[in-house]
């Protein structure tokens, strides 16, 4: 696994080293020691799977309020997604900035999203499946969100959502403090 820093502070793309032979392929998709050596000490406490039937399904932008922030590692197991991370950490040099990555099985990578970031994605193909390794448990009362189309962020989504939940549609814009 190779860890490539992204533009946003502490965000990283985890590139899988893949071995292939006549049987197929093998890749280590997570190594705590390699990730820790690069900076983050990430312990898996929960794993989640999101299935998305329709192209242009939007989920997000989600985060948990302090002290329940969730670091996560996101990968796409089927289909393709436009994965977006927004830095909500006051004091960070990249506060209120966003970065996006196309994730797909062929890309052979995952995205490490630090605690204190909002996260969302738009499916680019039908039947997209997204896998999350979580570094903190979900706390229902701490779940929050910000508008996917907040003009203060100016996220360049590749398409308008065709499917979005009422909850995600009704999130407020980013407040002055970032949440």
């Amino acid at each position: 696994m190779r860890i490539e820093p992204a533009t946003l502070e502490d965000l990283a793309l985890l590139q899988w080293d893949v071995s292939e032979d006549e049987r197929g392929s093998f890749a280590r998709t997570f190594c705590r020691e390699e990730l820790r050596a690069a900076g983050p000490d990430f312990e898996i406490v929960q794993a989640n799977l999101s299935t998305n039937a329709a192209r242009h399904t939007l989920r997000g932008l989600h985060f948990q309020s302090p002290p329940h922030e969730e670091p996560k590692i996101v990968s796409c197991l089927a289909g393709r997604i436009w994965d977006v991370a927004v830095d909500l950490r006051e004091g960070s040099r990249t506060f209120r900035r966003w970065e996006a990555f196309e994730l797909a099985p062929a890309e052979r990578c995952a995205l490490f999203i630090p605690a204190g970031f909002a996260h969302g994605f738009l499916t680019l193909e039908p039947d997209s499946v997204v896998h999350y390794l979580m570094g903190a448990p979900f706390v229902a009362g701490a779940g929050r969100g910000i508008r996917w189309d907040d003009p203060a962020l100016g996220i360049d989504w590749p398409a308008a959502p065709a499917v979005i939940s009422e909850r995600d549609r009704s999130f407020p814009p980013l407040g002055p403090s970032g949440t």
Side-chain angles (χ1 to χ4, degrees):
M1 186 172 77
R2 294 178 319 281
I3 300 154
E4 298 177 10
T7 302
L8 299 186
E9 187 175 8
D10 302 322
L11 187 69
L13 196 62
L14 310 180
Q15 296 282 350
W16 303 335
D17 289 322
V18 180
S19 300
E20 295 183 275
D21 62 24
E22 65 278 356
R23 298 168 295 174
S25 65
F26 175 85
R28 177 176 294 128
T29 61
F30 175 78
C31 179
R32 183 177 178 186
E33 294 308 312
E34 288 178 20
L35 194 58
R36 181 185 291 158
D41 186 12
F42 184 86
E43 180 179 346
I44 300 168
V45 299
Q46 186 174 310
N48 303 320
L49 194 65
S50 168
T51 60
N52 305 275
R55 179 177 185 231
H56 296 154
T57 296
L58 188 130
R59 292 183 186 252
L61 297 161
H62 303 146
F63 65 96
Q64 286 203 153
S65 60
H68 305 290
E69 298 97 326
E70 299 172 308
K72 59 185 81 166
I73 296 174
V74 180
S75 59
C76 183
L77 304 180
R80 283 184 312 129
I81 64 169
W82 182 253
D83 204 55
V84 177
V86 180
D87 190 347
L88 299 180
R89 303 168 303 165
E90 289 191 48
S92 164
R93 65 177 171 75
T94 57
F95 178 59
R96 295 180 143 226
R97 289 181 40 206
W98 63 273
E99 192 166 0
F101 298 84
E102 187 173 309
L103 300 180
E107 301 300 323
R108 299 177 170 189
C109 65
L111 185 62
F112 171 75
I113 303 172
F117 274 61
H119 171 253
F121 64 84
L122 181 74
T123 62
L124 301 176
E125 294 181 3
D127 301 316
S128 291
V129 178
V130 181
H131 186 253
Y132 301 77
L133 296 176
M134 306 301 294
F138 177 73
V139 177
R144 303 280 185 275
I146 52 177
R147 289 222 17 125
W148 66 276
D149 61 350
D150 186 339
L153 294 173
I155 295 172
D156 187 18
W157 296 95
V163 179
I164 183 172
S165 72
E166 184 56 40
R167 177 178 174 254
D168 287 0
R169 187 185 333 274
S170 66
F171 283 142
L174 190 62
S177 68
T179 55

